[in-house]
């Protein structure tokens, strides 16, 4: 009798223990959902004053003047998009080359150490990229590269104006370059992982038919991994769009929109980093929070696309 | 006949070009990263001395160190891990053990992946409105909450992945002995996934130790020695940012020293995390 009772009590205890534990971990799981929603809502709420004061003009006006209490986000949005685009134009082909090198070209003993080194470098704090950009890259560019760019590319028809400007070393182009160097380890690691998911028998069949390495990569590996490669590129783009410290050092922080990439500009993240702690005017603060909300929306869309594309690969991997 | 051989030659040539270009891309990419590492090493090592670890942040052009910044960073990172890691491990457990094949599980995984790569400055703004705006001042506690939101998704992701790697036979064996599920999770699955979970926490620590953007308007910074977590607190990344952007050479040298220590710390943590993972994999096999 007493043993059944004991067993009953124990069963009840473990059942209630199960319920408590399940409840706790479920709360933690939902906390993740709340965190992201909370971030979005808090910035929308904080930026509401700016949105309601300026309306759509907040997004289309290029006039950012805290003294006159005029705030338009266009310059910062332009800077964010321009620097991220330059970064991706450079980083994507290079990352593709690195991933190709690490999966097909390099001798096997070299692959793992180089891949591990690149992954480690992806963890270097972004502020160090920014300092390197300001103290090392920018002086070098302004002395040796930008004068040449001015003289040679600046004369070209159509795209010439893009490369004309003061060779001061800091500006949109430099920020894009630093971002590219920062993003390369990320995108190349993702691409390498994606390339490694291609079934060996597919590649071996192609080799057996007499394909060259390049033909295997171009006609077998890339078509098989296309979606995930694009996902990886968008993941890098998401990082480039939201990066703060690497850009703040080298973009020049001037509210200036120009066809020249050598001119200083500003980005959403660097505007917030530079001004937020010193903004006293509530409308100024609210405008910066509204900028943060815009940045959140842009990166959310980019990262969501990236995750959906990377997820598709996982699903197919499971079905093969 | 000759047409075929010229096609062969063209294919071989194209292949050669592609191989050379990919090798060049790899060299090019590594070149920049090596340059950055070299800059940090060469400029940082010269500024390393005993005063760096024993004196407070100095006024411009005076001798000093970063002692208060190191202490502040250590305190805030540890608090961030203390806030973020338990919630992250619990959420990862929910995903792997309770919601693995359910819609809500995939929704949370999706949101977590976005949080993982969300701009850190946005999280700083979030914690600003959440904590600093309500308490009315910058504080170390606000800084560590902002960092905890960066720890959270990293730990969720690794815990989730590592728990799902534990063979389901272990769960079934324990459950069939009548062990309640929560005990199975805590006493058996956590033990199996321990190495992976520790790796996740180390990687999270590596990530937050260099984060600057979310601290700029949460913890802010301080020139003084302060251990009061309700006050602004000095920390390495923000001090490095302020000193690097200053016109004083003595401050810039300190900034490089701080940057050097940060990079070494992050690299060592990264290596340690990978070694733990590697050892775990070998013992599992």
């Amino acid at each position: 009798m007493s043993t059944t009772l004991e067993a009953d009590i124990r069963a009840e205890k473990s059942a209630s223990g199960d319920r408590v534990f399940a409840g706790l971990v479920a709360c933690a799981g939902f906390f993740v959902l709340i965190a992201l929603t909370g971030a979005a809502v808090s910035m929308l709420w904080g930026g509401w004053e700016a949105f309601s004061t300026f309306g759509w003009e907040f997004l289309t006006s290029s006039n950012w003047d805290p003294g006159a209490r005029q705030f338009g986000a266009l310059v910062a949005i332009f800077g964010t998009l321009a620097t991220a685009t330059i970064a991706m134009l450079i980083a994507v082909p290079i990352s593709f080359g690195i991933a190709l090198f690490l999966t097909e070209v390099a001798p096997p003993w070299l692959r793992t150490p180089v891949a591990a080194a690149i992954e480690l470098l992806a963890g270097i704090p972004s502020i160090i990229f920014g300092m390197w950009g300001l103290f090392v890259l920018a002086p070098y560019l302004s002395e040796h590269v930008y004068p040449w760019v001015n003289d040679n590319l600046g004369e070209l028809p159509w795209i010439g104006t893009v490369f004309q400007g003061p060779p001061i070393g800091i500006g949109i182009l430099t920020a894009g370059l630093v971002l590219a160097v920062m993003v390369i380890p990320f995108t190349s690691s993702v691409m390498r992982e994606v390339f490694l998911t291609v079934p060996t028998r597919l590649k071996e069949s192609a080799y057996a038919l007499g394909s060259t390495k390049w033909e295997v990569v171009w006609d077998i590996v890339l078509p098989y991994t296309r979606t995930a490669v694009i996902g990886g590129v968008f993941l890098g783009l998401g990082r480039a769009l939201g990066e703060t410290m690497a850009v703040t050092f080298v973009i020049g922080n001037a509210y200036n929109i120009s066809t020249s990439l050598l001119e200083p500009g500003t980005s959403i993240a660097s505007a917030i980093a530079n001004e937020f702690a010193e903004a006293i005017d509530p409308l100024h603060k609210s405008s910066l929070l509204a900028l943060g909300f815009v940045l959140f929306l842009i990166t959310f869309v980019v990262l969501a696309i990236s995750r959906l594309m990377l997820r598709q690969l996982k699903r197919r991997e499971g079905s093969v | 006949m000759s047409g075929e051989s010229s096609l062969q030659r063209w294919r071989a040539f194209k292949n050669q070009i592609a191989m050379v270009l990919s090798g060049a891309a790899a060299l090019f990419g590594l070149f920049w990263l090596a340059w950055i590492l070299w800059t940090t090493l060469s400029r940082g090592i010269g500024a390393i001395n005993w005063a760096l670890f024993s004196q407070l942040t100095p006024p411009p052009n005076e001798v000093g160190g970063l002692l208060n910044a190191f202490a502040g960073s250590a305190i805030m990172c540890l608090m961030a891990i203390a806030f973020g890691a338990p919630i992250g491990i619990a959420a990862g457990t929910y995903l792997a053990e309770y919601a693995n094949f359910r819609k809500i599980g995939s929704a949370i995984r999706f949101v977590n992946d976005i949080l993982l790569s969300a701009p850190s400055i946005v999280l700083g703004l979030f914690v600003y409105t959440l904590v600093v705006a309500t308490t009315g001042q910058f504080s170390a506690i606000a800084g560590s909450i902002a960092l905890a939101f960066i720890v959270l998704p990293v730990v969720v992701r690794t815990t989730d992945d590592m728990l799902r790697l534990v063979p389901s036979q272990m769960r079934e064996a324990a459950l069939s002995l009548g062990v309640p599920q929560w005990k199975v999770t805590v006493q058996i699955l956590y033990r199996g996934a321990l190495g992976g979970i520790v790796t996740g926490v180390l990687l999270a620590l590596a990530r937050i130790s260099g984060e600057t953007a979310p601290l700029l308007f949460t913890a802010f910074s301080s020139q003084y020695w302060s251990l009061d977590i309700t006050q602004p607190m000095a920390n390495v990344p923000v001090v490095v940012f302020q000193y690097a952007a200053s016109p004083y050479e003595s401050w810039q040298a300190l900034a490089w020293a701080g940057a050097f220590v940060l990079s070494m710390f992050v690299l060592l943590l990264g290596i340690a995390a990978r070694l733990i993972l590697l050892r775990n994999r070998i013992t599992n096999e």
Side-chain angles (χ1 to χ4, degrees), chain B residues 5 8 25 39 53 58 67-68 117 125 135 144 162 177 247 277 280:
Chain B
S5 78
Q8 297 282 21
T39 307
F53 301 102
L67 176 64
N68 45 344
S117 8
L125 285 178
T135 59
S144 37
M162 292 302 152
L177 290 175
L277 209 58
N280 227 40

Side-chain angles (χ1 to χ4, degrees), chain B residues 7 10 37 119 132 209 215 227 240 257 274:
Chain B
L7 178 68
W10 166 239
L37 222 52
V132 180
S209 52
L215 292 176
L227 295 179
V240 165
R274 276 168 187 83

Side-chain angles (χ1 to χ4, degrees), chain A residues 14 17-18 21 25-26 28 36 38 42-43 94 105 121 123 127-129 131-132 135-136 210 213-215 269 285 307, chain B residues 11 15 18-19 22 28 35-36 39 90-91 94 98 113 115 121-122 126 128-129 180-182 237 240 244 259 263 266:
Chain A
S14 61
D18 261 349
F21 189 76
V25 295
L36 195 75
S42 74
M43 278 180 294
I94 299 289
V105 183
L121 289 169
I127 187 168
I128 285 153
F129 286 84
M131 286 172 72
W132 169 79
F135 288 106
V136 180
K213 261 184 189 164
W214 172 247
E215 284 162 351
K285 211 155 222 164
R307 289 302 172 184
Chain B
R11 287 176 57 208
N15 187 48
M19 294 305 110
S22 94
F28 183 79
W35 190 4
I36 289 171
T39 307
Y94 178 68
Y98 292 88
D113 280 348
L115 202 59
I121 194 158
V122 161
F126 172 40
Y128 176 87
T129 49
Q181 198 183 355
W182 70 275
V240 165
S263 334
V266 169

